[in-house]
Amino acid sequence: ERVPEMKRTEGCLNPEDPADPTECVEGDGEKLAIVVGDSFAAVWSRPLRDILAADDYRTKVISYSACPFAMVEVDLDLGTEASDRCNDSREGWIAAIGELDPDLVLVVDSEYPVSQNTGLGDDAVQGWADARVEALEQIESPDREIVIIQPNPGGVPIESCYSPLGGPAGCIMPVRDIYDVKTAGDQLAAAELGLTYVETEDWFVVDGEVMPYAGDVIQRTDGGHLTAEYAALIEEPLRDRLELLGVVGAS
């Protein structure tokens, strides 16, 4: 089952007006948090909303399919329309954050769009870090905290690998190199800007392999998006990690 934020009717994914102060907002806290990124941001916002609500935040999601929050032109294999939507969205994204003036911005996007562009140069890690920094510098503010969350890695879609003759072992795959590129680039960007980076890989990977299940809970609805059930399962460790890093629970 998908999280409700993935439904187009919620206005969280590919919003027509990203600056709408009422669309895809949950909670009634004094402070405003905005979760930005590709469709992974919509998925990860589900556990984040409850964590942030307990810390007096209301949470809004601004996400665009296959579009990272980074200043890089993507050429998606999903087609020209998807590429144009992504590449045209950044200006509105940044303007919306400036207008809404959140206290906290949490960035989470998948490895997929990192592999869908030609502009990172010979050193892809540094290229991604530079593109990320260029975007984040445009939303920096003295009174605003920015946090980069490591996404779950992509894996084998359950429906394509499981059969009555097989089993869970057929759904295991190694972490993609591009995931490691994105992780290293994000860590560089966070270090350069002095931002908090939240590691999460240990919840999804065992000995370099992306798992399909956690116990009896299926992790993904497809090749990447977490199920609502697994999103709920990571809420407690995510809360603990955000508290440890001082993102929530400091007051």
Side-chain angles (χ1 to χ4, degrees), residues 180-214:
D180 293 332
V181 166
K182 181 178 184 294
T183 293
D186 278 341
Q187 289 172 329
L188 271 181
E192 181 174 335
L193 295 176
L195 309 180
T196 298
Y197 181 81
V198 184
E199 294 185 18
T200 68
E201 187 174 343
D202 53 312
W203 304 336
F204 310 101
V205 177
V206 177
D207 296 330
E209 304 281 345
V210 185
M211 297 291 109
Y213 292 92

Side-chain angles (χ1 to χ4, degrees), residues 108-150:
V108 56
D109 35 38
S110 71
E111 80 239 40
Y112 166 72
V114 186
S115 66
Q116 300 290 305
N117 66 78
T118 56
L120 295 183
D122 294 335
D123 185 343
V125 171
Q126 188 63 57
W128 176 254
D130 292 345
R132 184 70 104 184
V133 166
E134 188 180 348
L136 293 173
E137 282 181 331
Q138 296 187 57
I139 64 165
E140 279 191 310
S141 170
D143 299 320
R144 179 176 304 144
E145 183 173 6
I146 301 172
V147 175
I148 301 175
I149 298 176
Q150 184 181 29

Side-chain angles (χ1 to χ4, degrees), residues 26-31 33 47-59 239 248:
E26 189 174 299
D28 54 5
E30 293 265 335
K31 299 177 290 185
L48 284 168
R49 285 190 192 277
D50 290 339
I51 295 167
L52 293 167
D55 206 43
D56 199 29
Y57 283 98
R58 61 193 189 282
T59 303
R239 177 186 289 108
V248 298

Side-chain angles (χ1 to χ4, degrees), residues 2-86:
R2 290 191 163 196
V3 301
E5 285 80 4
M6 284 288 286
K7 297 176 182 175
R8 299 300 169 91
T9 53
E10 295 294 310
C12 309
L13 192 60
N14 303 332
E16 290 187 16
D17 179 11
D20 187 331
T22 62
E23 194 169 49
C24 195
V25 176
E26 189 174 299
D28 54 5
E30 293 265 335
K31 299 177 290 185
L32 174 63
I34 298 182
V35 184
V36 300
D38 62 5
S39 54
F40 273 35
V43 175
W44 279 73
S45 71
R46 191 62 259 154
L48 284 168
R49 285 190 192 277
D50 290 339
I51 295 167
L52 293 167
D55 206 43
D56 199 29
Y57 283 98
R58 61 193 189 282
T59 303
K60 177 177 173 65
V61 184
I62 307 175
S63 63
Y64 293 95
S65 297
C67 192
F69 191 71
M71 300 305 287
V72 61
E73 293 289 307
V74 297
D75 183 12
L76 304 171
D77 58 17
L78 297 172
T80 304
E81 183 180 348
S83 298
D84 289 347
R85 180 186 59 231
C86 174

